[in-house]
């Protein structure tokens, strides 16, 4: 199946007389005939359902669909993108470990990695997204267990050289985890470039309609955990009657461990209703991504031509930062998100944004409707000036998320707001 077809048909195939649409199984629990049957479920929890804190049939369909879209072997949904980022690291790092992250990533992830994980004894080593291979290699420590980056960073829109980062990670025997939220598997499939784990905030394009907050972790099934660097995978899990994940679940030890250990203990699993809504979004993901890219390229060119911006970042746009890497990793477009720094700085940015009528001012992005955000006063408010610079953000920076309205209406709205400044 081609990707458009996978969006519609992967994950759920009704049998004779079953509902055409994936049903919502709104049940916390699952019934068995005998105590022995329940015991057997606990012996191999991947075979049957136990409890909806870590598995549910509706969510299971969505997990299978997203795994197929990314080219992975298994996936686990989470109740938010933040939960996906957190579990992706906690699954392999513990107190005393470190991991490397690109400094150009989502603001919420920067806080999670730099503040909260630090409190838990896990060190994040920040590396510039455009570091040379040599710089990247020199950042590793003996206790480094993972490398993390974003395909197309929110909101800086830097493009990561995934192949090079994967090479460095593998040279040090650790996996590359990629947050592929903005690109979606329609525009880039990081596993094809060497990534081992892919995560998403499904709250963005995957849902697309701004109706559910969610996340997902996808396991490529390709990483070899048996080097001795990951005892959590290769030694018996005492909290699960001595299971050795790489032995019993060799097809996807990472995701099975994440579900049976972390999801069991933290319980950040989505509700069946949310997964149903997410699936509706996924069904049209391929057609929507094409239109977002087409609209955004037109809008990016328009903003650039007005001369009102210090710079326009839209990697698909010729002359934009990241254009060369985008040609390699995102040849079909770079999503609907544009960022530009308005001439006049912070005050002009605020005036401009408050003058927009169609585009809504909201803390969301990648919506079906055009929306706009001022990162310095919102998502990145908690960052220090230094962190802001490292994340590629200045006071005049505006994140403009182009929706699926007719592009002439979006441009008319921008024209009106530019006239007010
Ligand atoms: C929004 C976002 C997150 C966090 O996801 P939530 O669903 O809001 O928790 C993580 N990474 C990226 C790139 C995002 O855009």
């Amino acid at each position: 199946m081609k990707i458009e077809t996978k969006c519609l048909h992967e994950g759920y195939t009704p049998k004779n007389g079953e509902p055409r649409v994936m049903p919502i199984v709104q049940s916390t629990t699952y019934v068995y005939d005998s105590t022995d049957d329940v015991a057997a479920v606990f012996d191999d929890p991947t075979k049957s359902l136990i409890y909806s804190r870590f598995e549910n049939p509706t969510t299971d369909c969505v997990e299978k669909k997203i795994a197929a879209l990314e080219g992975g072997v298994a996936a686990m949904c989470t109740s938010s993108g933040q939960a996906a980022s957190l579990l992706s690291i906690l699954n392999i790092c513990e107190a005393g470990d470190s991991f490397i992250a690109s400094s150009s990533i989502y603001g919420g992830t920067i806080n999670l990695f730099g503040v909260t994980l630090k409190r838990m004894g896990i060190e994040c080593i920040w590396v510039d997204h455009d570091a040379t291979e040599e710089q990247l290699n020199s950042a590793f420590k003996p206790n480094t267990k993972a490398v993390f980056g974003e395909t197309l960073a929110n909101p800086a829109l830097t493009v990561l050289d995934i192949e090079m980062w994967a090479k460095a990670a593998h040279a040090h025997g650790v996996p590359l985890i990629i947050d592929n939220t903005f690109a979606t598997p329609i525009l880039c499939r990081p596993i094809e470039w060497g990534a081992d784990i892919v995560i998403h905030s499904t709250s963005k394009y995957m849902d697309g309609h701004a109706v559910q907050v969610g996340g997902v972790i996808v396991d490529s099934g390709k990483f070899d955990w048996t080097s001795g660097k990951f005892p959590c995978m290769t030694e018996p899990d005492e909290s699960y009657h001595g299971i050795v994940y790489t032995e019993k679940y060799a097809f996807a030890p990472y995701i099975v461990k994440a579900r049976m250990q972390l999801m069991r203990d933290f319980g950040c699993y989505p509700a069946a209703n949310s997964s149903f809504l997410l699936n509706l979004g996924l069904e049209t993901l391929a057609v929507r991504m094409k239109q977002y890219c087409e609209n955004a390229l037109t809008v990016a060119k328009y903003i650039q031509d007005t001369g009102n911006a210090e710079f326009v970042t839209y990697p698909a746009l010729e002359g934009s930062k990241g254009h060369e890497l985008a040609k390699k990793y995102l040849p079909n477009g770079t999503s609907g998100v544009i960022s530009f720094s308005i001439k006049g700085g912070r005050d002009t940015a605020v005036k401009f944004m408050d003058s927009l009528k169609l585009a809504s001012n909201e803390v969301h992005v990648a919506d079906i409707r055009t929306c706009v955000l001022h990162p310095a006063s919102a998502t990145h408010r908690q960052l220090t000036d230094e962190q802001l610079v490292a994340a590629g953000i200045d006071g005049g920076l505006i994140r403009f998320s182009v929706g699926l309205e007719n592009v002439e209406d979006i441009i008319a709205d921008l024209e009106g707001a530019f006239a007010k400044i």
Side-chain angles (χ1 to χ4, degrees):
M1 286 193 273
K2 300 269 191 288
I3 199 129
E4 295 82 357
T5 316
K6 286 183 182 171
C7 284
L8 288 158
H9 293 283
E10 282 284 2
Y12 174 69
T13 312
K15 296 191 203 71
N16 199 22
E18 286 183 352
R20 171 61 275 187
V21 176
M22 179 187 88
I24 304 174
V25 180
Q26 192 74 25
S27 179
T28 60
T29 194
Y30 309 89
V31 178
Y32 292 93
D33 285 343
S34 70
T35 313
D36 276 352
D37 284 352
V38 174
V41 172
F42 276 85
D43 280 343
D44 191 348
T46 59
K47 294 276 190 311
S48 333
L49 298 157
I50 299 181
Y51 189 50
S52 293
R53 192 204 305 133
F54 45 80
E55 201 167 18
N56 166 279
T58 309
T59 307
D60 182 62
C61 293
V62 176
E63 288 168 344
K64 291 196 164 76
K65 177 174 284 187
I66 296 174
L69 291 175
E70 284 290 4
V73 293
M76 178 178 77
C77 284
T78 56
S79 55
S80 68
Q82 283 298 100
S85 308
L86 171 67
L87 298 194
S88 76
I89 298 294
L90 282 191
N91 204 29
I92 42 178
C93 292
E94 57 183 42
D97 288 338
S98 69
F99 66 101
I100 289 172
S102 156
S103 53
S104 181
I105 54 174
Y106 175 63
T109 317
I110 294 178
N111 281 325
L112 169 66
F113 289 178
V115 180
T116 303
L117 285 183
K118 188 175 172 188
R119 267 191 216 129
M120 299 167 76
I122 300 170
E123 183 200 3
C124 178
I125 302 164
W126 300 104
V127 173
D128 215 58
H129 78 278
D130 57 5
T132 62
E133 197 167 347
E134 207 183 348
Q135 287 167 332
L136 181 54
N137 279 319
S138 68
F140 286 81
K141 294 184 183 176
N143 68 355
T144 299
K145 295 287 175 66
V147 177
F148 185 101
E150 267 175 49
T151 310
L152 183 60
N154 173 13
L157 301 178
T158 49
V159 181
L160 193 76
D161 190 346
I162 301 173
E163 208 169 26
M164 193 261 268
W165 280 58
K167 195 174 150 209
H170 297 160
H172 292 84
V174 305
L176 175 65
I177 304 171
I178 290 287
D179 181 337
N180 198 34
T181 298
F182 270 17
T184 82
I186 306 304
L187 301 177
C188 178
R189 287 177 296 281
I191 292 170
E192 292 173 5
W193 298 104
D196 304 286
I197 308 296
V198 175
I199 68 158
H200 285 270
S201 163
T202 62
S203 325
K204 314 295 165 52
Y205 287 117
M206 281 193 165
D207 159 9
H209 300 72
V211 291
Q212 64 92 48
V213 170
V216 70
I217 307 176
V218 182
D219 187 347
S220 71
K222 289 184 178 158
F223 190 77
D224 178 11
W225 302 97
T226 61
S227 65
K229 235 182 154 75
F230 299 95
C232 62
M233 295 282 177
T234 54
E235 284 175 16
D237 178 358
E238 294 315 330
S239 81
Y240 226 105
H241 49 69
I243 280 178
V244 174
Y245 293 101
T246 46
E247 282 172 11
K248 185 147 189 186
Y249 303 109
F251 67 100
Y254 178 92
I255 216 74
V256 173
K257 177 178 176 291
R259 189 187 302 278
M260 298 325 303
Q261 198 182 66
L262 299 185
M263 197 56 91
R264 175 197 64 190
D265 293 356
F266 292 121
C268 44
Y269 203 58
N273 250 303
S274 295
S275 299
F276 178 83
L277 293 170
L278 171 57
N279 186 56
L280 289 182
L282 287 169
E283 290 181 331
T284 58
L285 183 65
V287 276
R288 283 188 292 109
M289 290 317 290
K290 276 182 201 141
Q291 191 62 46
Y292 283 121
C293 290
E294 193 183 309
N295 279 4
L297 186 60
T298 308
V299 170
K301 280 184 186 149
Y302 162 77
I303 296 171
Q304 192 172 51
D305 291 348
T306 63
N308 288 322
E310 297 282 0
F311 61 83
V312 178
T313 303
Y314 185 66
L317 181 72
E318 208 151 329
S320 164
K321 185 185 72 181
H323 186 60
E324 286 310 308
L325 284 170
K327 279 200 281 193
K328 173 172 175 178
Y329 293 106
L330 300 149
N332 297 319
T334 54
S335 87
V337 188
I338 298 168
S339 69
F340 64 100
S341 187
I342 202 159
K343 284 184 181 160
R346 187 183 274 261
D347 294 344
T348 312
V350 170
K351 179 129 198 270
F352 169 80
M353 287 181 48
D354 290 346
S355 307
L356 290 164
K357 292 197 167 71
L358 183 68
S360 44
N361 202 327
E362 63 189 37
V363 185
H364 192 46
V365 64
D367 188 9
I368 201 161
R369 292 148 287 243
T370 296
C371 54
V372 65
L373 181 93
H374 187 229
S377 43
T379 46
H380 288 64
R381 200 176 178 78
Q382 277 84 17
L383 302 195
T384 64
D385 287 349
E386 265 175 8
Q387 284 174 317
L388 281 176
V389 172
I393 290 155
D394 68 62
L397 193 82
I398 292 170
R399 185 182 72 188
F400 197 79
S401 174
V402 177
L404 299 186
E405 299 91 348
N406 187 299
V407 73
E408 289 174 24
D409 291 329
I410 301 170
I411 287 176
D413 192 31
L414 286 164
E415 215 160 36
F418 278 131
K420 297 255 167 61
I421 60 171

